[in-house]
């Protein structure tokens, strides 16, 4: 049956998380936090698991509250060699066991526990007297009690030697099948202390088949960003990154890390955009840093607590109704008819009359449906669901309701969708939603219990007559399930992976971001045509040169070719109306160019100019009845 899993429940959950679209957060520095609380470097910080457990527990809890999804145990130096410096070797097993127990107590079922293991602090062969076999045994000795206590993964971090890291990986593999995050540390020259390059690191760790390849410590986020960008082109593995809070400066005899939480937050977003899957902080980072980093990346890859999992075969519910029986929109898609729709935003106030007059004009022009966006760019307007009901009930044209994950939790979304089904709103476009910081109320709270992939799973479930817990609720819903796609995403491989997951979750058609670059769309279509689901191209009639520049620079995923920008510049210089005419002409050219390659088009009404959107369709409405497949 359908259900949920929570973080920390088992190792398999972490492996599944590695394959999803979400970026997860480690915690920050343990040593820096202990130092700030008066435990100075003459103390054995790992021994505090026994001597001052409340201090360690409090730090874990602070990181969890800040948004950490993975808590590292306080065991970085809890190996035989380093503990011997403090006369604590006899307590090695107890120190490592207690570290796991403290982290687990703090995390409950809300975070995974990573057993943290650092380098031994000695040179191993061929650079020193410590043998590889001896090193492996020392690593095993530290790891065994953590495995027995129930860690979810192993983090090998701050290694400068590939040979020593390889010994640690071999030790882990000899005692468990836990996922391994293997992190090396580099200097400003992008090399390890032993001179290893990023290419050498990637090649070695690929061969050792670790689950995640990463970098941590030594440098701040700026250099890490360059390193991650290079590393992403060298490995197919997931990438982790835990930079220091900048380079330390000596202030009155103390090492102070100067990178502020806001600074780290800005780089956190860029690191995730470059491909980082597991993000955290090393020396100098605090819960404040992690909190801002979590806020920065959450709109990019909304974290999911809980996450919807697939239903077991024995409780699959009813079979969904055939697509053609769910709505006129669904029937057109099923029959391969070229579909047409115009996107028009809900009104800002309580009076829908002007909007409905425009919708009536759309209907009379022969357009098939009206798309109703759900709080685009985080603007506060009449609810999309209520607007869609008014459109269908008062004009007779079908609505395609955009529905986003930003503003409602799982229960609220489920209730909304049941209501939509009861009101006859059967055509959906499921999206994650723009973050509140884009709109006029940047301090508003975003929910993001799930993203568009999880929402697609939920709606697919409802089409089988099952609620969130997999329980039958009566007759199934009749939703036609659409999703958004972005042919111009800066990381096309990432977008293609998300599209694959959306199709597997139950997507039945997709609508693209506004298309200005036809070649870019053609490339995307070539990569997704094997899925066999209809792709509807988004088209935006530009209003001016300024509008073209805005779309190109400030709308994520939209790329306006230089030739188009130049055309709009020259037209706009001749006057406002010349710019508008040129924008419509360009939109019609795009529609003609993509006509035989897509299942339909969605034309936006810029600034509510429905007349311009209708102009784009002139001469094509009659031919739009032609079958394209």
């Amino acid at each position: 049956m359908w259900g949920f899993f929570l973080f920390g429940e088992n190792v398999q959950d972490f492996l599944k998380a590695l394959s999803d679209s979400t970026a997860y957060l480690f915690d920050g520095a343990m040593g820096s936090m202990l130092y700030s609380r008066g435990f100075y470097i003459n103390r054995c910080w790992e021994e505090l698991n026994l001597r001052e457990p409340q201090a360690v527990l409090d730090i874990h809890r602070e990181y969890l509250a800040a948004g950490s999804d993975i808590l590292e145990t306080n065991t970085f130096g809890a190996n035989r060699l380093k503990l011997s410096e403090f006369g604590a070797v006899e307590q090695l097993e107890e120190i490592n066991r207690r570290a796991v127990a403290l982290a687990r107590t703090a995390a409950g079922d809300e975070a995974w526990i990573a057993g943290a293991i650092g380098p031994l602090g000695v040179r191993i062969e061929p650079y020193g007297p410590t043998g590889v076999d001896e090193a492996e045994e020392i690593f095993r000795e530290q790891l065994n009690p953590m495995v027995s206590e129930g860690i979810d993964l192993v983090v090998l971090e701050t290694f400068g030697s590939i040979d020593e890291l390889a010994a640690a990986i071999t030790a882990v593999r000899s005692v468990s099948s836990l996922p391994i995050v293997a992190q090396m540390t580099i200097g400003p020259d992008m090399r390890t202390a032993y001179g290893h390059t990023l290419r050498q690191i990637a090649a070695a760790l690929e061969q050792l088949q670790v689950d995640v390849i990463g970098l941590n410590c030594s440098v701040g986020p700026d250099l890490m960003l360059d390193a991650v960008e290079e590393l992403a082109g060298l490995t197919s593995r997931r990438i982790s990154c835990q930079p220091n809070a900048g380079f330390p400066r000596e202030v009155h005899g103390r090492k102070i890390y100067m990178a502020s939480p806001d600074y780290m937050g800005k780089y956190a977003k860029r690191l995730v955009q470059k491909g980082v899957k597991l993000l955290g902080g090393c020396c100098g980072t605090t819960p404040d840093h992690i909190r801002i980093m979590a806020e920065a990346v959450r709109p990019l890859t909304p974290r999911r607590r809980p996450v919807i999992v697939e239903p077991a075969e024995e409780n699959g519910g009813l079979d969904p109704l055939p697509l053609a029986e769910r709505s006129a929109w669904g029937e057109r898609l099923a029959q391969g008819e070229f579909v047409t729709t115009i996107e028009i935003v809900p009104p800002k106030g309580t009076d829908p009359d002007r909007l409905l007059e425009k919708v009536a004009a759309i209907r009379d022009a022969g357009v098939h449906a009206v798309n109703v966006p759900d709080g685009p760019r985080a603007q506060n307007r009449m609810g999309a669901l209520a607007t869609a009901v008014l459109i269908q009930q008062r004009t007779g044209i079908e609505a395609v309701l955009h529905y986003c994950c930003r503003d409602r939790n799982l229960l609220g979304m489920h209730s909304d969708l049941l209501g939509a089904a009861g009101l006859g709103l059967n055509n959906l476009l499921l999206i994650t939603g723009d973050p509140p910081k884009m709109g006029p109320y940047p301090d508003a709270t975003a929910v993001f219990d799930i993203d568009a992939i999880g929402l697609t799973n939920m709606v697919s479930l409802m089409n089988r007559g099952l609620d969130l817990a997999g329980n039958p609720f009566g007759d199934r819903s009749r939703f036609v399930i659409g999703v958004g796609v972005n042919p111009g995403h800066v990381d096309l491989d990432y977008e293609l992976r998300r599209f694959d997951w959306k199709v597997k979750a139950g997507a039945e058609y997709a609508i693209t971001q506004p298309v200005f670059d036809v070649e870019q769309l053609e490339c995307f279509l070539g990569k997704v045509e094997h899925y066999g689901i209809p792709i509807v191209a988004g088209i935006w009639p530009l209003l001016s040169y300024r509008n073209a520049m805005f779309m190109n620079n400030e709308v994520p995923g939209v790329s306006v070719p230089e030739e188009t920008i130049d055309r709009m510049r020259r037209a706009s210089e001749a006057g406002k109306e010349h710019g508008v005419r040129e924008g419509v002409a360009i939109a019609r050219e795009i529609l003609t160019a993509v006509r035989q390659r897509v299942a339909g088009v969605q034309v936006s009404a810029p600034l509510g100019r429905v007349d311009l959107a209708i102009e784009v369709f002139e001469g094509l409405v009659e031919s739009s009845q032609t079958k394209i497949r």
Side-chain angles (χ1 to χ4, degrees):
M1 64 177 288
W2 281 72
F4 306 105
F5 68 81
L6 295 175
F7 298 164
E9 188 174 333
N10 56 54
V11 172
Q12 187 60 37
D13 293 345
F14 183 74
L15 291 174
K16 183 175 290 187
L18 287 180
S19 66
D20 69 22
S21 61
T22 301
Y24 294 99
L25 265 75
F26 278 107
D27 49 16
M30 174 61 74
S32 298
M33 290 293 290
L34 289 171
Y35 183 80
S36 70
R37 297 182 183 190
F39 299 104
Y40 298 122
I41 57 175
N42 62 334
R43 296 286 301 270
C44 176
W45 285 338
E46 289 77 13
E47 194 180 18
L48 297 177
N49 297 329
L50 307 181
R51 305 295 179 221
E52 299 284 349
Q54 191 62 48
V56 177
L57 182 62
D58 288 346
I59 292 169
H60 283 319
R61 284 174 170 161
E62 289 176 33
Y63 279 123
L64 182 72
S68 295
D69 303 307
I70 308 167
L71 298 181
E72 292 193 34
T73 56
N74 180 33
T75 53
F76 177 79
N79 62 69
R80 181 200 315 163
L81 298 181
K82 289 190 174 180
L83 290 179
S84 66
E85 298 174 12
F86 298 95
V89 173
E90 292 183 359
Q91 297 169 310
L92 183 150
E93 181 174 349
E94 189 179 0
I95 286 172
N96 283 283
R97 280 185 179 277
R98 185 59 175 156
V100 178
L102 289 169
R104 182 68 71 194
T105 298
D109 57 6
E110 295 185 47
W112 290 289
I113 305 304
I117 295 179
L120 302 178
V122 296
R123 293 179 180 268
I124 67 170
E125 58 182 4
Y127 301 103
T130 304
V132 172
D133 291 344
E134 182 182 358
E136 290 176 8
E137 178 55 35
I138 294 171
F139 286 125
R140 273 193 295 271
E141 183 180 45
Q142 179 183 359
L143 181 64
N144 275 322
M146 288 193 280
V147 172
S148 298
E149 197 66 30
I151 55 176
D152 299 307
L153 64 146
V154 178
V155 176
L156 305 172
E157 57 187 4
T158 324
F159 281 78
S161 163
I162 289 178
D163 295 321
E164 185 178 10
L165 182 54
I169 293 167
T170 300
V172 175
R173 290 284 185 242
S174 70
V175 299
S176 80
S177 58
L178 287 168
I180 297 176
V181 178
Q183 298 184 153
M184 299 203 72
T185 186
I186 57 172
D189 60 353
M190 305 274 266
R191 292 173 178 262
T192 71
Y194 286 79
H196 304 306
T197 65
L198 291 171
R199 182 174 295 277
Q200 290 171 318
I201 291 171
L205 296 181
E206 281 272 1
Q207 186 173 2
L208 289 164
Q209 298 184 344
V210 297
D211 299 277
V212 180
I213 294 175
L215 302 168
N216 79 291
C217 204
S218 294
V219 298
D222 183 69
L223 192 141
M224 280 287 195
L225 183 66
D226 293 336
V228 163
E229 187 170 17
E230 182 177 344
L231 189 61
L234 299 172
T235 180
S236 60
R237 306 284 171 176
R238 291 295 200 170
I239 295 174
S240 64
C241 179
Q242 298 189 74
N244 285 350
F247 287 101
R249 299 182 185 179
E250 188 162 323
V251 179
H252 302 302
R254 297 179 65 177
K255 297 291 185 181
I256 303 296
Y257 290 86
M258 305 301 290
S260 70
D262 286 341
Y263 180 81
M264 294 286 283
K266 291 176 182 177
Y267 273 92
K269 183 183 297 185
R270 297 171 68 184
L271 286 163
V272 170
Q273 290 172 333
K274 292 298 183 181
V276 170
K277 173 68 177 178
L278 305 179
L279 179 67
C282 204
C283 300
T285 54
T286 68
D288 288 338
H289 291 84
I290 298 301
R291 183 176 296 106
I292 299 299
M293 292 167 74
E295 292 174 0
V297 305
R298 185 169 183 169
L300 300 177
T301 58
R303 299 198 302 282
R304 292 176 267 178
R305 299 186 187 187
V307 178
I308 299 177
V309 298
E310 292 188 11
E313 292 295 328
E314 63 270 14
N315 191 21
L318 303 170
D319 290 332
L321 288 171
L323 183 63
E325 297 180 17
R326 298 183 217 160
S327 70
W329 176 259
E331 183 178 11
R332 289 188 170 96
L333 290 171
Q335 293 180 353
E337 186 176 333
F338 189 85
V339 296
T340 57
T341 176
I342 289 177
E343 181 183 70
I344 182 168
V345 297
K348 288 186 175 180
T350 60
D351 185 357
D353 288 347
R354 287 189 61 193
L355 172 82
L356 295 175
E357 289 175 7
K358 295 177 180 180
V359 171
I362 294 172
R363 176 201 62 203
D364 295 343
V367 178
H368 297 144
V370 173
N371 274 54
V372 185
D374 187 3
R377 299 192 66 77
Q379 298 293 314
N380 51 327
R381 293 177 175 269
M382 182 181 289
L385 195 154
T387 303
V389 171
L390 289 168
I391 287 171
Q392 290 197 166
Q393 290 182 349
R394 296 197 189 180
T395 70
I397 192 172
E398 279 196 330
V400 177
L401 171 66
H402 295 206
Y403 192 81
C404 79
C405 309
R406 178 190 58 228
D407 307 317
R408 312 152 182 95
N409 65 15
L410 284 169
L411 294 174
M413 286 188 282
H414 190 260
S415 297
D416 274 0
L417 291 168
L418 286 176
L423 290 166
L425 296 175
N426 293 326
N427 306 313
L428 299 179
L429 183 72
L430 306 176
I431 56 177
T432 299
D434 294 324
K437 290 185 182 298
M438 294 179 66
Y441 298 101
D443 293 327
T445 302
V447 181
F448 290 132
D449 273 357
I450 53 176
D451 66 1
I453 298 168
L455 184 55
T456 304
N457 272 324
M458 182 195 301
V459 177
S460 298
L461 178 65
M462 297 177 75
N463 274 356
R464 291 194 290 275
L466 300 175
D467 67 13
L468 295 176
N471 301 310
F473 58 70
D475 195 15
R476 65 210 136 178
S477 59
R478 297 167 172 259
F479 292 126
V480 179
I481 306 173
V483 295
V485 292
N486 185 356
H489 197 285
V490 65
D491 185 348
L492 186 57
D493 288 339
Y494 169 80
E495 182 68 9
L496 290 170
R497 287 196 302 272
R498 285 186 60 81
F499 183 71
D500 179 71
W501 292 326
K502 289 175 182 179
V503 174
K504 290 175 180 176
E508 295 166 317
Y509 74 97
I511 299 180
T512 75
Q513 284 274 64
V515 172
F516 296 98
D517 188 333
V518 175
E519 289 185 4
Q520 188 180 72
L521 176 64
E522 289 281 353
C523 175
F524 179 82
L525 292 174
K527 293 179 181 295
V528 301
E529 60 186 355
H530 64 280
Y531 290 105
I533 74 168
I535 305 294
V536 177
I539 295 179
W540 181 286
L542 294 166
L543 295 176
S544 63
Y545 169 67
R546 179 180 178 183
N547 186 214
M549 293 298 290
F550 173 82
M551 295 295 291
N552 190 53
N553 293 287
E554 297 193 40
V555 179
V558 173
S559 175
V560 183
E562 284 298 324
E563 179 185 355
T564 300
I565 291 176
D566 189 54
R567 285 179 61 180
M568 291 304 300
R569 179 186 58 76
R570 287 185 275 111
S572 296
E573 286 174 351
K576 180 177 180 180
E577 189 58 27
H578 286 277
V580 171
R581 293 295 103 213
E582 189 71 0
V584 171
I586 291 169
R588 297 188 70 173
E589 291 169 15
I590 294 170
L591 194 159
T592 301
V594 305
R595 169 69 178 80
Q596 298 301 322
R597 290 286 284 125
V598 295
V601 289
Q602 169 193 281
V603 179
S604 297
L607 299 181
R609 292 288 303 273
V610 166
D611 58 317
L612 300 182
I614 293 174
E615 276 191 55
V616 175
F617 282 120
E618 285 180 359
L620 292 174
V621 172
E622 182 177 348
S623 66
S624 72
Q625 308 305 314
T626 305
K627 304 286 180 65
I628 65 170
R629 289 189 302 281

